Amino acid sequence: MAQEPAQEPQGRAKPRSTESGLPVRPVYGPADLDRWDPAERLGAPGSYPYTRGIHPTMYTGRPWTMRQYAGFGTAAESNARYRQLIAHGGHGLSVAFDLPTQMGHDSDEPLAHGEVGKVGVAVDSVEDVRLLFDGIPLDRVSTSMTINAPAALLLLMYQIAGEEQGVAAGQLTGTIQNDVLKEYIARGTYIFPPAPTLRLTSDIFRYCRTAIPRWNTISISGYHMAEAGASPVQEVAFTLTNGIEYVRAAVAAGMAVDDFAPRLSFFFVARTTLLEEVAKFRAARRIWARVMRDEFGARNPKSQMLRFHTQTAGVQLTAQQPEVNLARVTVQGLAAVLGGTQSLHTNSYDEAIALPGEKAARLALRTQQVLAHETDVTATVDPFAGSYVVESLTDDLEAAAVELMARVEGHGGAVAAIEHGFQKGEIERNAYRIAQETESGERVVVGVNRYRLDEEEPYTPLRVDPAIETLQRERLAALRSRRDAHAVDAALDRMRRAAATPDENVLPPMKEALRARATVGEVCGALREVWGSHVPTETF
């Protein structure tokens, strides 16, 4: 039987605040916007400062790209899931990689034991990428890859797989996350120290400008910081300061800002706090447009546009009463759409338990399709424009984020602040506050600390077969036995020399090593020899 809470006393409403701690008043009105200039703060949709969206028509012309994040086990298993998602109406693929791949290790390395294929697909070589996209026309599908430290490798393997499929690199579209700075802050799947990592990021920018011109070279992520406990203000501030650091690195490497900035993209979370989330997305666009125009002198409007992908907040989903997550994901997805996202992944209701089953993944996609086709949110651009509360929250969130960005700059920029542990410490303090509020019941989590069931309904999660690790080991052994070992060694030597030469782009020799069937672990190992590995310094 459900445990119902005691009735709360009637009377004056308690003061409320946003997830970022900003005050929310019970009533907003014209006085809140008395000194507010719509032309300056809003502009027209598709025009500076892009508060109302980066396109004049937004979803009235066509809906956002519907991506579903998937990947588990072997390349063959993930390929089958991708085909299902496309058949069910998905517009693009979003690839999850297992931890060994994310950390630059092969499946047969001791450090990979027990993790192969668990949280994403295992990729050791071009052969796995070919199988991963077998039968999927890469000239007609947009692919996003959540990969960071080894992002260059996965991009090049994708390019090689496309070439072997007969698809020219100029036809490839998609995104690599390629955002390692947030790994030092919140996630930990880094390989190299920050300086060579930024160098590799700049090399990717330069390479893609001519070799894969339609590819989005980075997806600067606030999502993982939010999953670690960042507030919306922290998510915006730390994501944008990381973005500024990447732009500075590219400019320092001799690139003109308008040559690479149009291919930058961002990745944010969408929480259930709908009003603040809408305000967050609008404020982030406005801040980025101003930074790119005023600090970096970007003149191409596309360089000033903050384009972003959104994923609904997995951290808010619960293992208790998992079907309630369908309601949460719907609200989160609506927040992303009302905030003007360019693409969206909606989490499966069973994410808090295990990898999503086929039915759960299909329901997640159907949630987006209902929003796009059965509601009227696509009928007009920026439905909340002029709302007293949303415009006030947008201004408040913008001011708080700008103030926090200034604190990062006070440390010497994002990298220096990371080295001081600033962002990590701020996020940990906020995460602790959230945990305390949940524990005390001040923060209501349906099914967890209120409206609980005495007994949960049974649920059978999807499990990854541990035999996958053996299969990947066998595939690697077969690959190494049939490839030209001398060609691999020579290509890796050329890549090492390029890595040791600051002005030389590492990607062309890296591509030749991968084409010769060098593995992820071998390529990353060779770079570790030159650049070393990052060792974090704990400050708390």
Side-chain angles (χ1 to χ4, degrees):
M1 181 179 293
Q3 299 176 1
E4 297 297 333
Q7 292 293 318
E8 295 182 0
Q10 299 294 315
R12 187 174 181 179
K14 297 178 182 178
R16 295 280 300 270
S17 61
T18 70
E19 289 286 291
S20 300
L22 304 173
V24 179
R25 298 189 298 281
V27 178
Y28 288 78
D32 293 297
L33 303 182
D34 269 352
R35 291 176 292 178
W36 197 76
D37 182 356
E40 176 190 346
R41 307 301 289 163
L42 282 177
S47 300
Y48 186 90
Y50 305 104
T51 309
R52 303 196 61 191
I54 64 171
H55 301 302
T57 58
M58 289 302 290
Y59 312 135
T60 62
R62 65 180 179 86
W64 58 93
T65 299
M66 299 180 192
R67 297 191 187 278
Q68 286 307 112
Y69 185 50
F72 62 95
T74 65
E77 288 177 293
S78 293
N79 175 264
R81 175 64 61 84
Y82 296 157
R83 289 171 181 253
Q84 290 166 359
L85 289 170
I86 292 170
H88 291 316
H91 299 159
L93 303 176
S94 187
V95 185
F97 298 94
D98 71 359
L99 280 175
T101 305
Q102 294 180 49
M103 299 292 289
H105 298 294
D106 289 333
S107 296
D108 60 356
E109 293 182 37
L111 282 172
H113 179 61
E115 293 292 344
V116 176
K118 288 291 179 67
V119 299
V121 62
V123 171
D124 294 309
S125 74
V126 171
E127 297 298 312
D128 290 318
V129 176
R130 287 182 64 186
L131 185 56
L132 186 62
F133 295 102
D134 182 49
I136 297 173
L138 299 186
D139 56 340
R140 298 201 296 273
V141 171
S142 173
T143 302
S144 173
M145 293 187 278
T146 303
I147 194 72
N148 294 285
L153 284 74
L154 272 298
L155 172 64
L156 294 172
M157 286 193 278
Y158 190 82
Q159 182 187 3
I160 293 167
E163 291 170 354
E164 294 179 0
Q165 198 184 86
V167 178
Q171 296 176 283
L172 299 175
T173 59
T175 305
I176 44 173
Q177 191 162 103
N178 191 28
D179 175 14
V180 182
L181 291 182
K182 66 96 174 48
E183 299 294 329
Y184 303 119
I185 295 171
R187 245 186 116 238
T189 62
Y190 42 70
I191 298 176
F192 316 113
T197 292
L198 287 173
R199 180 260 178 98
L200 186 56
T201 300
S202 298
D203 283 354
I204 292 170
F205 290 174
R206 288 189 294 178
Y207 179 83
C208 287
R209 183 191 170 199
T210 54
I212 318 178
R214 298 175 65 193
W215 197 266
N216 297 319
T217 52
I218 194 168
S219 178
I220 305 158
S221 175
Y223 181 88
H224 301 95
M225 290 186 272
E227 292 283 284
S231 70
V233 164
Q234 291 173 336
E235 180 191 358
V236 169
F238 296 153
T239 303
L240 297 190
T241 49
N242 284 353
I244 289 168
E245 197 78 40
Y246 291 124
V247 174
R248 286 173 178 163
V251 171
M255 299 184 68
V257 67
D258 285 325
D259 286 343
F260 67 88
R263 306 313 303 174
L264 302 178
S265 65
F266 291 80
F267 176 23
F268 293 113
V269 76
R271 300 170 180 81
T272 53
T273 43
L274 186 145
L275 295 179
E276 184 178 18
E277 291 299 286
V278 172
K280 177 190 77 179
F281 295 130
R282 300 168 90 250
R285 276 194 296 268
R286 200 152 69 199
I287 296 169
W288 187 250
R290 186 170 61 247
V291 166
M292 293 303 290
R293 186 191 69 175
D294 297 348
E295 180 174 339
F296 293 107
R299 293 294 171 258
N300 183 345
K302 291 184 177 180
S303 299
Q304 303 168 5
M305 296 177 184
L306 184 141
R307 299 173 302 119
F308 65 95
H309 168 72
T310 308
Q311 181 172 337
T312 55
V315 73
Q316 290 187 317
L317 304 188
T318 64
Q320 299 91 332
Q321 301 180 47
E323 66 278 4
V324 177
N325 292 329
L326 288 165
R328 292 187 178 102
V329 169
T330 301
V331 175
Q332 293 165 351
L334 182 61
V337 170
L338 291 171
T341 192
Q342 276 59 70
S343 65
L344 176 63
H345 163 85
T346 36
N347 289 329
S348 301
Y349 71 88
D350 54 357
E351 172 160 314
I353 302 172
L355 291 169
E358 181 181 348
K359 181 179 180 180
R362 184 172 65 248
L363 283 171
L365 178 60
R366 293 288 185 255
T367 300
Q368 295 201 51
Q369 291 165 338
V370 168
L371 291 175
H373 303 295
E374 295 190 24
T375 75
D376 55 2
V377 296
T378 61
T380 186
V381 176
D382 192 21
F384 277 151
S387 158
Y388 300 130
V389 60
V390 168
E391 299 298 1
S392 295
L393 286 176
T394 300
D395 286 352
D396 292 346
L397 201 143
E398 177 187 11
V402 167
E403 180 181 357
L404 187 53
M405 291 170 72
R407 292 177 65 193
V408 173
E409 286 298 303
H411 281 83
V415 169
I418 287 168
E419 292 170 344
H420 286 97
F422 174 71
Q423 299 97 320
K424 185 172 180 287
E426 292 293 303
I427 290 170
E428 287 173 349
R429 277 185 280 274
N430 193 67
Y432 182 61
R433 175 182 66 85
I434 293 171
Q436 285 182 308
E437 291 174 358
T438 304
E439 183 70 21
S440 69
E442 180 183 351
R443 176 184 295 265
V444 175
V445 182
V446 174
V448 175
N449 60 10
R450 199 180 292 188
Y451 310 111
R452 293 174 293 188
L453 296 177
D454 292 332
E455 185 176 342
E456 291 287 335
E457 297 178 8
Y459 177 82
T460 303
L462 175 67
R463 299 294 187 193
V464 174
D465 187 348
I468 284 169
E469 185 171 331
T470 301
L471 177 61
Q472 283 298 111
R473 286 172 174 267
E474 292 171 351
R475 284 174 56 81
L476 273 168
L479 173 71
R480 292 188 177 115
S481 69
R482 67 174 180 265
R483 71 187 184 182
D484 184 338
H486 293 295
V488 171
D489 290 342
L492 289 174
D493 281 340
R494 286 192 291 274
M495 187 191 69
R496 287 188 189 93
R497 290 195 295 272
T501 307
D503 295 332
E504 189 169 345
N505 196 315
V506 176
L507 268 70
M510 182 186 291
K511 182 184 178 186
E512 292 314 306
L514 293 167
R515 192 193 298 280
R517 276 21 185 195
T519 67
V520 168
E522 290 165 347
V523 170
C524 290
L527 291 177
R528 284 187 185 97
E529 293 174 19
V530 180
W531 292 339
S533 299
H534 177 66
V535 179
T537 301
E538 292 296 335
T539 56
F540 294 95

